[in-house]
Amino acid sequence: MPIEFKKKPGIVAYLTAGDPDLATTREIALAAIDNGANVIELGVPFSDPLADGPVIQRASQRAVARGVRLTDVLEVARQLRAARPACGLVVFSYLNPVVRMGMKNFCAAAAAAGADGVLLTDMIVEEAGEYLAEMKANGLAPIFLAAPTSPDARLKAIAEASEGFVYAISRVGITGTQQNVAGDASQLVARLRAFTEPRGIPIAVGFGISNAEHVRAVAEFADAAVIGSALVAMIEITKPSQAPAAIGRFIAGLRA
Amino acid sequence: MSVSASSELPVSSAVAARAGRFGVYGGRYVPETLVAALEELEQAYAAADADPAFHAELDDLLHHYCGRPTPLYFAKRMSEQLGGAKIYLKREDLLHTGAHKINNALGQGMLARRMGKRRIIAETGAGQHGVATATVCALFGMQCVIYMGEEDMRRQELNVFRMRLLGAEVRCVSTGSKTLKDAINEAMRDWVTNVRDTYYILGSALGAHPYPTMVRNFQRVIGREARAQILEQEGRLPTAIVACVGGGSNAIGIFYDFLGDKDVRLIGVEAGGRGTALGDHAARFQKENGGVPGVLQGTFSYVLQDEAGQIAATHSVSAGLDYASVGPEHAMLHDSCRAEYTSASDAEALAATSALARTEGILPALESAHAIAEAMKMAPKTAKTDILMVNLSGRGDKDMGILARELDLKGAKV
């Protein structure tokens, strides 16, 4: 399973697939991988991204307007897998497009495309029984979110249900950049460690991580940092032809 | 072991038996950050619901502050004109703030106070839930933020003014379709961000568990009263009960105490809008171009969506019915055929508004007018011994701008 963070801190790069277009998303992802991203999260654009801040909302809206579908995102995953056999690949989606495709069909298609794992924003462990069974049957890693508001009993369930890594949300709130990495994050990771360590599951911290300073701060206590809105915002203001190089330079600078 | 044939989200029979499930529908599909808050809410609501003092205060406020019980009124002229069943109107329009929404806003407002939450947020479509929430916040001295779609702020402007007069901050939502669905998204984003000190008063029997159950329970008073009133006035139960269905709180509120009365037909009326194509209506249970089971805003229910699972645009002349999904309990009642669901078009709702105003001197909300429209279709085909009970869920003062334009009230025709 290629979800590995050999070089610490690991870098997980989130991209809203299909913004500005699918071919550019693929090129940006390749540039991110070649400049040190360990895992690419391919975000499936959704009409109602209620956990996302304005940056990813706008990117989703643009991609949905272009008609980008879950099947298109899986095709990008397939191309990335063919081009970079060793990179980590996670499909990141809200639940409804997956439900519409059918849980069984989706898991089979994601595995066939070469994805390593799946993160469903609005799927919680209590509701995940059948989802987990399908993921397991297809050899996919289910990645769950852990929040500062999650009590220890939930963190335990999340750590036990997750494979690949656990995504620790740095603060209460929606996605988007912030000035500093919240104090919430280190406390959450410390609580979560008690449950992930016995299983050897790494912890990635995301939400509001936007520069090298943040990545250094996260590296003090977590295994990887997730960069999302910062990349999506950069893509929004960069010419598509220049976006892969710009994102590549940015990713390369994160471990500086 | 799936008990669901129609859905693509496999739900085991063990899951279907859980609290918060209505058959395979319902559940809790939310970002992790909100789960602890929903669990806290579930526990606090269970404790309040088991506390006689909570119910005593709620009943007292519903009576003295809101004006319950609301009358069950025999619409004699309308019944005679239509030439069939006796039509009774459950007059939720006479309730304080002008709609059934206060039943739920008051209950949840008391719960928020009991939980020590001083900041209240809510979404609103037609503005009736926003007004009810702003009212309760004024009554209890709580901070109030209401999210409302830009399109709805325009077409229900009077309610925006009412909310502001009551001390609420109305935040304009300009994303997506700029209507109820987008207001709920934005309210949920606020809640995720301020979850530690904020209570979200969701306005319909929607969303993640425990909301659909809790909102229905706060609205059950409608059916409980109506059942006793019809037995007192007619000595028997109605032939059918008709209610409009947006999220479905007024409908589930009047239906619930009749669910065991198998001979009473329960009829929900959705917004047929301006046509049957996807995007032109909000009829989730419509056979063609209707909804299919999916997950929107925390719950598994029928959702109007395209083939890729993107949520569809909706249209209705009534802001309160203009929503892509429907409460999960209605989804269950639909599949089990205990309730029937039909729709009324924009034009039929407007005609029903005019008809009720002129035959009975009652101005219904455009939402409620969808139920009146269905009763007007049904009545001529029924016997004079039949009884149709219509939930008149709100009054139409808020709609004067739309009515003035659509019914040409400024012109010489009137």
Side-chain angles (χ1 to χ4, degrees):
Chain A
M1 193 156 294
I3 297 181
E4 281 181 334
F5 304 115
K6 280 182 188 152
K7 196 170 165 190
K8 298 291 163 77
I11 300 287
V12 178
Y14 168 93
L15 301 169
T16 300
D19 179 52
D21 57 71
L22 290 159
T24 305
T25 296
R26 183 190 61 218
E27 295 307 312
I28 292 171
L30 291 173
I33 294 162
D34 294 343
N35 284 279
N38 307 93
V39 175
I40 299 293
E41 285 181 348
L42 279 179
V44 178
F46 183 51
S47 53
D48 293 80
L50 58 77
D52 284 301
V55 169
I56 294 178
Q57 283 179 49
R58 286 197 301 271
S60 284
Q61 208 168 357
R62 286 190 296 268
V64 169
R66 295 180 69 93
V68 175
R69 307 157 66 107
L70 175 53
T71 47
D72 301 319
V73 180
L74 293 177
E75 172 56 22
V76 173
R78 194 190 62 75
Q79 293 169 10
L80 289 176
R81 171 55 70 226
R84 298 291 183 277
C87 79
L89 256 181
V90 173
V91 178
F92 191 110
S93 185
Y94 286 86
L95 192 46
N96 198 58
V98 168
V99 171
R100 188 66 202 248
M101 183 181 279
M103 192 62 84
K104 208 180 180 73
N105 294 344
F106 165 74
C107 290
D116 301 302
V118 173
L119 195 161
L120 299 175
T121 315
D122 42 1
M123 175 63 95
I124 62 172
V125 282
E126 286 84 348
E127 304 285 12
E130 292 76 13
Y131 162 63
L132 288 174
E134 289 300 330
M135 291 289 285
K136 192 169 183 181
N138 286 282
L140 290 166
I143 295 154
F144 286 92
L145 298 164
T149 51
S150 312
D152 286 355
R154 292 192 56 76
L155 293 183
K156 182 168 189 285
I158 287 163
E160 286 169 359
S162 293
E163 303 291 344
F165 62 93
V166 177
Y167 187 135
I169 301 173
S170 71
R171 54 170 158 82
V172 297
I174 51 179
T175 59
T177 57
Q178 61 187 7
Q179 287 299 322
N180 302 302
V181 177
D184 277 359
S186 63
Q187 291 168 31
L188 170 60
V189 171
R191 288 196 296 128
L192 194 51
R193 280 279 186 223
F195 309 112
T196 54
E197 211 144 65
R199 301 194 57 228
I201 306 271
I203 299 171
V205 171
F207 280 40
I209 312 297
S210 61
N211 57 39
E213 191 190 333
H214 292 162
V215 172
R216 272 198 303 278
V218 165
E220 297 287 320
F221 55 87
D223 304 298
V226 187
I227 322 290
S229 296
L231 301 181
V232 177
M234 190 177 289
I235 292 164
E236 183 174 42
I237 58 163
T238 307
K239 269 193 201 161
S241 60
Q242 292 168 9
I247 295 297
R249 277 194 303 276
F250 181 80
I251 297 277
L254 285 174
R255 287 201 187 91
Chain B
M1 193 171 50
S2 175
V3 295
S4 157
S6 61
S7 84
E8 293 293 325
L9 180 62
V11 175
S12 71
S13 47
V15 169
R18 283 213 303 250
R21 286 281 172 181
F22 305 93
V24 297
Y25 301 106
R28 184 177 281 167
Y29 299 98
V30 292
E32 174 63 25
T33 305
L34 292 179
V35 179
L38 288 165
E39 285 177 349
E40 180 194 9
L41 177 60
E42 184 179 1
Q43 286 160 16
Y45 171 64
D49 193 41
D51 180 358
F54 180 85
H55 285 285
E57 186 183 358
L58 179 58
D59 291 348
D60 182 73
L61 283 168
L62 285 173
H63 179 54
H64 292 103
Y65 184 67
C66 299
R68 298 213 77 90
T70 59
L72 182 69
Y73 166 72
F74 173 42
K76 189 161 177 283
R77 286 197 73 218
M78 177 168 256
S79 303
E80 283 171 4
Q81 281 195 9
L82 294 169
K86 293 176 86 168
I87 296 173
Y88 278 86
L89 305 177
K90 180 59 174 166
R91 298 291 308 275
E92 294 298 293
D93 62 312
L94 293 177
L95 206 52
H96 181 44
T97 71
H100 71 291
K101 292 292 187 188
I102 191 84
N103 299 326
N104 169 55
L106 186 60
Q108 288 199 56
M110 283 177 54
L111 186 57
R113 191 184 57 180
R114 193 182 160 103
M115 293 170 75
K117 310 268 184 184
R118 305 299 300 174
R119 180 176 182 269
I120 302 295
I121 59 170
E123 85 296 340
T124 197
Q128 290 301 123
H129 175 58
V131 167
T133 301
T135 297
V136 169
C137 289
L139 181 67
F140 293 156
M142 300 191 288
Q143 185 194 348
C144 183
V145 175
I146 304 291
Y147 289 92
M148 190 169 187
E150 188 181 331
E151 165 70 10
D152 292 340
M153 284 182 73
R154 188 187 56 73
R155 58 180 165 171
Q156 306 278 223
E157 190 181 32
L158 291 178
N159 275 343
V160 176
F161 299 151
R162 288 172 79 192
M163 287 183 267
R164 287 180 179 151
L165 183 65
L166 289 160
E169 179 192 344
V170 182
R171 292 191 184 165
C172 180
V173 179
S174 303
T175 51
S177 57
K178 305 174 186 179
T179 57
L180 178 58
K181 167 175 78 71
D182 311 284
I184 295 177
N185 284 339
E186 213 49 44
M188 288 188 75
R189 290 182 186 118
D190 181 315
W191 200 31
V192 167
T193 305
N194 302 293
V195 62
R196 287 171 172 138
D197 66 355
T198 295
Y199 185 105
Y200 179 15
I201 301 188
L202 188 57
S204 194
L206 294 169
H209 178 59
Y211 282 107
T213 301
M214 177 170 70
V215 174
R216 177 251 282 156
N217 287 347
F218 284 134
Q219 294 293 0
R220 269 184 70 178
V221 64
I222 305 172
R224 193 183 303 134
E225 282 178 11
R227 199 172 186 285
Q229 286 167 323
I230 199 70
L231 287 174
E232 188 189 320
Q233 292 174 41
E234 287 284 345
R236 60 202 169 100
L237 294 173
T239 314
I241 299 173
V242 184
C244 66
V245 183
S249 70
N250 90 81
I252 203 69
I254 197 166
F255 288 173
Y256 196 74
D257 275 36
F258 293 91
L259 285 177
D261 302 313
K262 299 296 181 199
D263 294 336
V264 178
R265 288 175 65 194
L266 305 175
I267 300 167
V269 187
E270 301 186 283
R274 61 191 167 211
T276 55
L278 196 60
D280 285 342
H281 63 86
R284 288 69 42 109
F285 296 126
Q286 181 177 295
K287 287 214 166 49
E288 280 183 42
N289 300 318
V292 297
V295 172
L296 179 64
Q297 296 170 336
T299 195
F300 181 51
S301 184
Y302 280 70
V303 180
L304 290 166
Q305 53 182 300
D306 70 14
E307 287 176 359
Q310 304 295 348
I311 308 307
T314 53
H315 165 82
S316 172
V317 69
S318 63
L321 305 185
D322 199 352
Y323 182 64
S325 188
V326 62
E329 196 162 10
H330 286 291
M332 178 185 75
L333 293 175
H334 170 268
D335 285 10
S336 70
C337 302
R338 175 60 191 96
E340 305 154 55
Y341 295 85
T342 181
S343 64
S345 69
D346 287 354
E348 288 167 337
L350 287 162
T353 301
S354 192
L356 189 66
R358 290 177 182 210
T359 54
E360 296 289 348
I362 296 172
L363 173 58
L366 277 171
E367 290 76 14
S368 322
H370 286 70
I372 299 291
E374 175 61 20
M376 288 171 64
K377 280 186 233 174
M378 289 175 69
K381 293 179 265 179
T382 55
K384 284 193 193 314
T385 51
D386 286 336
I387 299 170
L388 290 185
M389 183 191 282
V390 181
N391 197 13
L392 195 63
S393 56
R395 69 181 190 216
D397 307 49
K398 69 183 177 61
D399 296 318
M400 284 320 302
I402 298 168
L403 294 171
R405 189 179 66 243
E406 297 289 337
L407 299 176
D408 201 16
L409 302 181
K410 292 173 186 166
K413 276 200 260 175
V414 176

